[in-house]
């Protein structure tokens, strides 16, 4: 009787595991960077790195661009609930479409970023931001963190994936 050989296909796996692994790496890098910055800086302290980039310890009680940050505190729970809901929906989508590589990369990055910021909201009541880009004459872009970066990269990949799909 002939033994069947296992062959390794170049097709992407239908497993959820690699995508959750990517999200976990984002969460780990995000949380380690936030722990490091809070140990090295006092609130509001900044370190000039280049003529367009600083490290600064900032807190954001709101959402992107400090949306609703000046509210009385309800936004902490609101944005935490949105983050958890989004994470659950993304896990559902990853399970359903685990073989679509670019789509899942996008979702995994967004998932890791969302959970990274939810951890901050639960632990501290605000999101820790520290990356501060600025341009002479234009001012400072709102400070952000690795989780925010992963969400933006994921969103860009998601748009690129959709544009590729439309063009096929």
């Amino acid at each position: 009787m002939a033994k069947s050989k296992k062959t390794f296909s170049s097709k992407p796996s239908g497993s959820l595991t690699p995508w959750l692994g990517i999200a976990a790496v984002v969460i780990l890098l995000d949380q380690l960077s936030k722990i490091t910055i809070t140990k090295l800086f006092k609130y509001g302290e900044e370190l000039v790195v280049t003529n367009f980039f600083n490290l600064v310890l900032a807190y954001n009680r709101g959402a992107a661009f400090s949306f609703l940050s000046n509210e009385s505190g309800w936004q902490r729970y609101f944005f935490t609930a949105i983050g958890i809901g989004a994470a659950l929906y993304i896990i559902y989508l990853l399970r359903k479409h685990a073989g679509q590589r670019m789509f899942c990369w996008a979702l995994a990055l967004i998932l890791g970023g969302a959970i990274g910021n939810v951890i901050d909201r639960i632990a501290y009541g605000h999101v820790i931001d520290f990356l501060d880009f600025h341009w002479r004459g234009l001012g400072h872009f709102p400070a952000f963190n690795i989780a925010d970066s992963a969400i933006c990269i994921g969103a860009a990949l998601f748009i690129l994936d959709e544009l590729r799909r439309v063009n096929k």
Side-chain angles (χ1 to χ4, degrees):
M1 178 178 260
K3 291 183 180 179
S4 64
K5 291 184 179 179
K6 286 188 177 183
T7 59
F8 293 97
S9 170
S10 63
K11 292 181 186 175
S13 166
S15 173
L16 186 62
T17 305
W19 310 121
L20 293 180
I22 292 166
V25 168
V26 169
I27 294 165
L28 181 65
L29 292 174
D30 177 62
Q31 291 300 304
L32 286 175
S33 66
K34 290 172 179 175
I35 289 167
T36 302
I37 207 80
T38 56
K39 297 285 184 199
L40 297 175
F41 287 75
K42 293 178 187 146
Y43 176 75
E45 184 180 1
E46 97 180 9
L47 171 67
V48 176
V49 178
T50 69
N51 63 349
F52 62 88
F53 174 68
N54 302 333
L55 291 173
V56 61
L57 178 56
Y59 300 147
N60 182 359
R61 297 185 192 291
F65 303 103
S66 298
F67 176 66
L68 297 177
S69 64
N70 293 327
E71 293 297 318
S72 62
W74 61 267
Q75 71 276 23
R76 172 187 184 184
Y77 305 102
F78 178 70
F79 292 128
T80 299
I82 288 175
I84 292 169
L88 292 172
Y89 184 63
I90 289 170
I91 291 169
Y92 163 78
L93 289 174
L94 285 171
R95 183 172 306 195
K96 186 174 179 184
H97 303 283
Q100 296 177 18
R101 291 178 54 110
M102 188 178 297
F103 181 70
C104 289
W105 263 100
L107 291 178
L109 290 171
I110 294 168
L111 176 64
I115 292 173
N117 284 338
V118 163
I119 290 169
D120 283 13
R121 290 185 196 287
I122 291 170
Y124 312 114
H126 55 262
V127 173
I128 297 168
D129 291 326
F130 58 90
L131 301 170
D132 175 34
F133 286 88
H134 53 89
W135 288 267
R136 190 179 324 222
L138 294 176
H140 289 258
F141 189 79
F144 58 99
N145 56 45
I146 290 176
D148 299 334
S149 300
I151 291 169
C152 289
I153 293 167
L157 286 175
F158 180 76
I159 292 167
L160 182 62
D161 184 56
E162 288 304 310
L163 290 173
R164 269 186 352 155
R165 225 180 295 239
V166 167
N167 288 334
K168 282 188 177 181

